Amino acid sequence: MIQIITRYGNLLLLAMGQTLLLALCGLFFACILGMFFGLLSVLKNKACRIISSIFVDVIRGVPMIVLAYFIYFGVPYCLNNMMGFNFTLTALQAGTVCLALNCGAYMAEIIRAGIQSIDQGQTEAARSLGLSQTMNLRYIILPQALKNILPAIANEFVVIIKESAITYTIGVQDIMSAVNAVKGATFIII
């Protein structure tokens, strides 16, 4: 085992760094998507709620590997043939987009639940103080909701690290590909 670590340690460390980079970038963009669609889902406008619901339901219903293949192979193919662009995505870019979309749908539900968990009396108190809807959301509701959703966001980070193994199928050199390379070279199960 020591020989494997000394010989393939750098490969495994680089792959671990790639996995963490993929997870952090995916989580960053997922938080942006989740905040956007989470806020859309709590607005009083019915069209906004329907748009948010469609995004969440469709993305959560599509298997991650199908989404990864569609983004890596399908999107460039459609853009190149239909629009005449010369568009390509690297495996890392496609993996980040895939993880961001998938995790963003779950983050939208986490943020929606966090906002709805705040007591309605907070909104009534802000309204009695003369705060606008935007000020109420920015200064009163979101800070309290953020405290409630931090554990779920940390859980999503763990999930996104596990789901990043799917990106191995489109060619991202993550920890999964490094472990498989070491297993193939040494015939030892790690």
Side-chain angles (χ1 to χ4, degrees), residues 125-138:
R127 196 172 303 134
S128 70
L129 291 172
L131 295 178
S132 68
Q133 182 77 14
T134 305
M135 291 174 70
N136 175 31
L137 192 62
R138 182 177 175 194

Side-chain angles (χ1 to χ4, degrees), residues 14-86:
L14 287 173
M16 191 182 313
Q18 187 86 339
T19 300
L20 287 175
L21 174 70
L22 189 66
L24 286 173
C25 290
L27 187 67
F28 174 75
F29 292 116
C31 285
I32 293 170
L33 278 172
M35 182 63 77
F36 177 73
F37 285 105
L39 289 175
L40 277 182
S41 67
V42 295
L43 293 177
K44 293 181 180 175
N45 187 344
K46 188 173 183 176
C48 291
R49 289 195 314 262
I50 289 172
I51 290 169
S52 174
S53 177
I54 288 172
F55 170 76
V56 168
D57 292 342
V58 167
I59 296 296
R60 285 174 60 182
V62 174
M64 183 86 151
I65 194 163
V66 172
L67 187 62
Y69 279 175
F70 176 73
I71 291 169
Y72 188 62
F73 296 113
V75 170
Y77 179 80
C78 290
L79 288 177
N80 291 338
N81 289 339
M82 291 181 178
M83 305 290 184
F85 295 141
N86 189 12

Side-chain angles (χ1 to χ4, degrees), residues 64-167:
M64 183 86 151
I65 194 163
V66 172
L67 187 62
Y69 279 175
F70 176 73
I71 291 169
Y72 188 62
F73 296 113
V75 170
Y77 179 80
C78 290
L79 288 177
N80 291 338
N81 289 339
M82 291 181 178
M83 305 290 184
F85 295 141
N86 189 12
F87 182 76
T88 59
L89 281 172
T90 65
L92 183 65
Q93 291 169 340
T96 302
V97 170
C98 173
L99 289 173
L101 283 174
N102 187 280
C103 187
Y106 287 97
M107 289 292 286
E109 287 298 294
I110 290 168
I111 291 170
R112 179 198 55 79
I115 290 171
Q116 289 179 342
S117 71
I118 304 303
D119 191 348
Q120 195 66 20
Q122 300 286 331
T123 302
E124 293 168 1
R127 196 172 303 134
S128 70
L129 291 172
L131 295 178
S132 68
Q133 182 77 14
T134 305
M135 291 174 70
N136 175 31
L137 192 62
R138 182 177 175 194
Y139 295 117
I140 295 172
I141 302 298
L142 283 181
Q144 293 179 60
L146 184 63
K147 181 187 68 116
N148 291 342
I149 65 175
L150 276 177
I153 291 174
N155 186 45
E156 248 340 276
F157 182 68
V158 171
V159 168
I160 204 169
I161 286 176
K162 292 191 301 185
E163 287 179 344
S164 70
I166 297 281
T167 61

